[in-house]
Amino acid sequence: MRIVIDMQGAQTGSRFRGIGRYTLSLVEGILKNSHQHEIILLLFSYRQEVYNDILKLYKDFIDENNVKICWVAQNISESNTSNKWSQKTSEAIREYYIYNLKPDFLLITSFFEGYGEDFACTINNYYRVPTAIVFYDLIPLMNKDKYLGDPNIYAWYMNKIEQLKNAQLLLSISESARQEALEFLNTDSKKVINISTASDERFLKQEYTKLEKEELYQKYKISKKYLMYSGATDERKNHLRLIEAFSRLPKKVLDDHQLVFVGGMPEDHANAFKQHAKKCNLNSEQLVLTGRVSDEEMNCFYNLCTAFIFPSWHEGFGLPALEAMQCHKAVITSNTSSLPEVIEREDAMFDPFDTDAMTNSIYKVLTDSDFRISLEKHAATQAKKFTWDVTSKRVIKAMEESQSNFHFSEDGGIDTLISKIVDFNVDNVDNEKILEISECIWKNTYKNQLLIDISELIKHDSATGIQRVVRSCLTYFKKSKNISNYSIVPIYLDADNNYRYTSGMQVQDDDIKVNFFKGDIYFCLDLLHPNLIVANQNLYKNFIEKGVKINFMVYDILPIQYPEYANDGVPEGHLKWFKIILEFSDKLICISKSVRDEVKKYIIEHEMKVRENLQLEYFHLGADIDNSIPSKGLASNADKILKAFKETSTFLMVGTIEPRKGHAQTIA
């Protein structure tokens, strides 16, 4: 199967919450267990800064060509009613892009987003493809008065609920969530599969030094043993009741402990929690709000806490509780929704609406060391039941078993997309928005360029071996069917250090500047003059930032290996060239295995600075003279020279005349 994964769960604000961690970990599990299946990760243009992070995270599991960006408009949140046309159009563009990837299954890791931030995600509104959705919960639907009081949010959410009917699979993160789907969506039980969940492997039991502990405590104003909570801060998480329950502890226990909420939260929530703590007679030291922390710090907090509490009254799963258990910490939770599945320990649970019951659980876990130790041992065993390996295999199996003989029967051409967009009856469409959408469509249908740098050849063809190679390769690149996925484009540097396209081998006044895009390949087939290569460094940095791959041809490094056999100034210039291509290249392509080996040896022996993950490759040059665009014709004194050839034994040497070529030795 070809499985396309919509990665927006790792791009929106959810990337800082459980859904973001769920997305990243699930995808890694799928990549590890995909085997014969092809996986394509789909990111979106509205937050491109995560692209390189995704590449780095999954570099061992997926080829970069299978990580794609779909271009959509900006400022398309549901709450931005002035941009309704761009929003609808972006949703159509996304479905068009996915349809043309021809997936056997589309996996959406986060669907209920986009009211307050950019997000383009619909299910088969414009183009039909088999779709599976990670299903977290129906908390807003089951608590409308708390979550859907705003009529605009209500309309947006109910539209999302209606679209769930278009999905082929709902992959619930717990049995509790599965039962919610069956009860409130009135859907076929075969369509809803419990895939469970797991904890990020970065959260694990770990020992910390006294210094590391002191640094964390000092940074976040922790001075005592502490009871920890982490997670979101909406009302169902039960923070206010937790603060009150903590405040009811006996004075001695309160004096020895702090309540610590770890993680970022909206400022108004933080202020509300502080005010409630004050109302409950807790001082400013007894409730600590850390704000956003790094994953490394989060792991440290889990490991150093006395116990972890999760008092939420409704969860799709309850990932923070599992994370704490994976660190072998004593965990107490409410006894509702999915949390009994996670903890499976009745004496560690309480009624989330009973403040006294919560206080009693807190008191017991903080003061009863035998009870706390038993919970820690239980956590170490229980956490092993939940692994991303198991969850990802369930996802793949669900799609395999649900796969049908789906046919891509609809026209996936641009004309069809345009006709759908034209039918949108939306006000407030101006030229600026039309231009933005036009650019998105163009970028999504853009054919990546193989940009062949011929800057030296186009200015001066000295007819040496390098120039013959450049001409021949360029000719064959244009003919080759093996690289039909790329537009083959020769380029050159102008006097102002800008790259321009060229249609031939001569500079024209109307040659236009080159536009570079992610996925393009820059290949310096020519040997650039040292001054050009030095001047180009900012251009190469720009290539890297834009996601352009940088490749250089290496004919040899003889001038720096044997400077005594080179003309004056050549070794110094060649070394400048060599240092720069090592720093910026993704790949060096050598003209023989010998050259490749010499380059590798020189780098190691001279401890040269190279770009991370630099690849060294080689190939062999061709020898078909007629197709190398050779120089033709005879010199004016050809008859005399040819006559001399015939009158005696003759040895022919072809090549540039320079010391290393051995002309002097040959004559001797």
Side-chain angles (χ1 to χ4, degrees):
M1 289 191 302
R2 170 180 285 182
I3 302 171
V4 175
I5 304 179
D6 184 320
M7 295 289 291
Q8 289 183 89
Q11 284 189 279
T12 64
S14 288
R15 69 190 189 278
F16 302 117
R17 300 192 293 271
I19 287 177
R21 294 203 300 276
Y22 192 101
T23 295
L24 294 175
S25 298
L26 176 63
V27 169
E28 182 173 330
I30 291 172
L31 291 172
K32 288 178 178 177
N33 291 286
S34 58
H35 304 306
Q36 76 273 24
H37 302 307
E38 179 188 10
I39 308 298
I40 295 175
L41 305 185
L42 183 59
L43 296 161
F44 290 79
S45 57
Y46 59 79
R47 196 165 284 111
Q48 291 185 67
E49 65 268 19
V50 304
Y51 174 80
N52 288 331
D53 294 334
I54 295 293
L55 283 185
K56 189 173 182 180
L57 183 63
Y58 300 133
K59 62 182 175 63
D60 295 332
F61 310 115
I62 192 168
D63 186 275
E64 185 174 341
N65 292 326
N66 277 31
V67 182
K68 301 185 181 297
I69 290 181
C70 174
W71 289 83
V72 294
Q74 297 185 38
N75 302 316
I76 55 171
S77 67
E78 182 75 17
S79 58
N80 185 3
T81 56
S82 65
N83 213 0
K84 181 65 71 175
W85 182 79
S86 294
Q87 180 192 54
K88 288 175 66 66
T89 305
S90 292
E91 291 169 349
I93 288 172
R94 170 189 168 275
E95 287 197 18
Y96 160 82
Y97 189 98
I98 292 170
Y99 183 86
N100 281 286
L101 290 174
K102 298 293 186 282
D104 294 295
F105 248 104
L106 166 68
L107 175 62
I108 298 173
T109 66
S110 186
F111 182 60
F112 285 88
E113 304 206 38
Y115 185 79
E117 62 179 322
D118 287 350
F119 183 78
C121 191
T122 47
I123 306 173
N124 297 329
N125 278 11
Y126 309 99
Y127 295 87
R128 183 174 171 267
V129 298
T131 302
I133 292 180
V134 176
F135 179 77
Y136 297 96
D137 57 62
L138 288 174
I139 291 170
L141 185 66
M142 298 166 65
N143 300 275
K144 293 179 183 177
D145 55 329
K146 290 182 172 62
Y147 291 94
L148 304 178
D150 184 320
N152 294 321
I153 295 177
Y154 177 84
W156 164 79
Y157 185 85
M158 296 310 294
N159 178 52
K160 291 278 189 180
I161 291 291
E162 186 66 22
Q163 285 187 57
L164 289 179
K165 297 177 182 178
N166 297 335
Q168 195 163 341
L169 285 173
L170 299 181
L171 305 174
S172 69
I173 65 170
S174 67
E175 182 58 30
S176 173
R178 180 175 181 271
Q179 292 303 321
E180 288 176 18
L182 295 177
E183 180 179 353
F184 291 91
L185 298 180
N186 192 29
T187 189
D188 184 350
S189 62
K190 294 179 181 178
K191 182 178 176 179
V192 190
I193 310 295
N194 176 15
I195 60 170
S196 190
T197 194
S199 172
D200 193 312
E201 293 178 358
R202 287 174 293 184
F203 300 118
L204 73 168
K205 181 174 174 56
Q206 188 172 336
E207 297 296 328
Y208 290 91
T209 66
K210 182 180 179 182
L211 178 61
E212 289 171 328
K213 178 178 177 179
E214 287 175 351
E215 287 178 347
L216 185 79
Y217 279 24
Q218 184 175 0
K219 180 177 179 180
Y220 292 104
K221 299 180 180 178
I222 297 172
S223 56
K224 305 171 185 176
K225 294 180 288 186
Y226 61 92
L227 177 68
M228 175 181 169
Y229 166 86
S230 70
T233 57
D234 44 315
E235 186 179 353
R236 67 186 167 90
K237 298 293 186 176
N238 219 7
H239 294 78
L240 299 183
R241 195 171 277 112
L242 170 56
I243 292 170
E244 185 175 351
F246 184 78
S247 74
R248 292 184 183 183
L249 290 170
K251 183 177 185 303
K252 186 178 185 312
V253 180
L254 270 181
D255 289 343
D256 291 340
H257 295 86
Q258 291 171 290
L259 176 61
V260 180
F261 292 171
V262 181
M265 63 179 69
E267 187 177 354
D268 58 331
H269 288 198
N271 291 333
F273 297 157
K274 290 175 184 177
Q275 287 297 320
H276 192 67
K278 189 175 181 180
K279 181 181 176 182
C280 294
N281 297 315
L282 292 176
N283 61 47
S284 59
E285 290 184 356
Q286 290 172 310
L287 174 65
V288 176
L289 310 180
T290 67
R292 186 165 293 160
V293 301
S294 67
D295 286 341
E296 292 77 12
E297 289 174 326
M298 180 66 82
N299 192 65
C300 192
F301 272 113
Y302 278 135
N303 276 274
L304 296 178
C305 72
T306 300
F308 183 87
I309 185 168
F310 205 64
S312 174
W313 68 66
H314 196 156
E315 289 293 320
F317 182 83
L319 189 57
L322 180 58
E323 290 172 348
M325 292 171 73
Q326 193 162 288
C327 296
H328 300 186
K329 301 310 295 186
V331 176
I332 56 174
T333 72
S334 59
N335 59 6
T336 57
S337 60
S338 61
L339 291 171
E341 293 177 53
V342 179
I343 196 164
E344 287 190 345
R345 178 83 181 235
E346 196 168 330
D347 60 348
M349 294 185 286
F350 51 82
D351 181 345
F353 300 103
D354 186 338
T355 307
D356 289 335
M358 194 188 305
T359 299
N360 291 337
S361 288
I362 295 172
Y363 177 78
K364 187 174 183 181
V365 79
L366 293 182
T367 61
D368 187 337
S369 59
D370 290 339
F371 175 63
R372 187 168 62 251
I373 290 170
S374 73
L375 289 184
E376 290 171 350
K377 290 179 179 178
H378 173 74
T381 303
Q382 179 71 4
K384 292 178 182 177
K385 296 180 180 179
F386 303 92
T387 71
W388 288 115
D389 192 52
V390 169
T391 294
S392 60
K393 286 178 180 177
R394 289 176 179 173
V395 172
I396 294 170
K397 183 181 178 182
M399 288 189 282
E400 287 173 340
E401 293 181 348
S402 182
Q403 193 177 6
S404 60
N405 296 320
F406 179 79
H407 298 289
F408 292 88
S409 56
E410 189 167 359
D411 181 5
I414 294 178
D415 290 346
T416 305
L417 173 64
I418 298 301
S419 66
K420 292 177 187 292
I421 292 173
V422 168
D423 289 340
F424 292 155
N425 184 20
V426 180
D427 296 329
N428 301 322
V429 182
D430 55 35
N431 288 335
E432 187 175 340
K433 291 175 182 175
I434 293 173
L435 184 61
E436 182 185 26
I437 289 297
S438 299
E439 187 174 355
C440 289
I441 294 172
W442 176 76
K443 287 178 177 178
N444 286 334
T445 56
Y446 168 76
K447 191 175 183 180
N448 280 120
Q449 305 170 106
L450 176 55
L451 301 153
I452 312 294
D453 192 335
I454 59 169
S455 297
E456 291 286 357
L457 178 64
I458 200 169
K459 294 170 186 173
H460 176 64
D461 186 355
S462 56
T464 65
I466 289 177
Q467 276 73 45
R468 294 203 302 279
V469 171
V470 173
R471 288 197 305 268
S472 300
C473 285
L474 190 56
T475 299
Y476 271 89
F477 282 153
K478 289 183 175 180
K479 290 181 180 178
S480 176
K481 294 180 181 179
N482 295 328
I483 46 178
S484 58
N485 290 334
Y486 289 88
S487 299
I488 311 302
V489 189
I491 62 174
Y492 68 93
L493 272 170
D494 65 15
D496 298 320
N497 210 40
N498 294 310
Y499 273 108
R500 294 186 179 274
Y501 296 109
T502 176
S503 55
M505 290 293 178
Q506 290 184 329
V507 174
Q508 303 290 338
D509 292 337
D510 58 352
D511 288 338
I512 63 173
K513 288 183 180 180
V514 175
N515 284 315
F516 300 95
F517 298 98
K518 177 201 161 293
D520 287 347
I521 298 176
Y522 166 83
F523 182 25
C524 190
L525 186 58
D526 218 337
L527 179 61
L528 292 188
H529 189 279
N531 291 341
L532 284 180
I533 201 85
V534 170
N536 274 9
Q537 292 180 78
N538 286 333
L539 287 174
Y540 300 146
K541 289 176 183 176
N542 191 30
F543 290 170
I544 292 170
E545 290 172 0
K546 288 191 173 182
V548 176
K549 287 292 186 183
I550 300 176
N551 296 258
F552 275 88
M553 181 85 100
V554 179
Y555 294 91
D556 60 64
I557 56 169
L558 294 170
I560 58 177
Q561 287 177 294
Y562 307 105
E564 65 271 25
Y565 300 132
N567 292 329
D568 291 344
V570 172
E572 295 81 2
H574 209 78
L575 184 59
K576 283 182 183 178
W577 168 85
F578 191 53
K579 286 181 177 179
I580 289 172
I581 68 170
L582 288 178
E583 182 180 351
F584 292 102
S585 296
D586 293 281
K587 186 180 292 185
L588 300 184
I589 304 173
C590 305
I591 64 168
S592 67
K593 182 177 182 294
S594 173
V595 172
R596 194 272 311 271
D597 293 344
E598 288 169 358
V599 168
K600 185 176 181 180
K601 181 180 178 183
Y602 194 91
I603 291 171
I604 294 171
E605 289 182 349
H606 293 80
E607 298 180 351
M608 305 289 286
K609 179 184 177 183
V610 301
R611 186 174 173 191
E612 185 180 2
N613 299 321
L614 171 68
Q615 298 178 50
L616 300 178
E617 306 284 355
Y618 76 91
F619 75 110
H620 289 143
L621 301 178
D624 48 342
I625 295 175
D626 285 344
N627 288 308
S628 69
I629 319 177
S631 54
K632 296 181 179 181
L634 296 173
S636 58
N637 60 343
D639 290 341
K640 180 179 178 181
I641 294 173
L642 292 173
K643 184 171 181 285
F645 282 2
K646 293 176 181 178
E647 291 176 352
T648 185
S649 297
T650 303
F651 292 86
L652 178 67
M653 288 186 70
V654 177
T656 53
I657 299 176
E658 50 184 307
R660 69 181 173 88
K661 296 289 190 177
H663 295 86
Q665 292 94 321
T666 303
I667 292 171

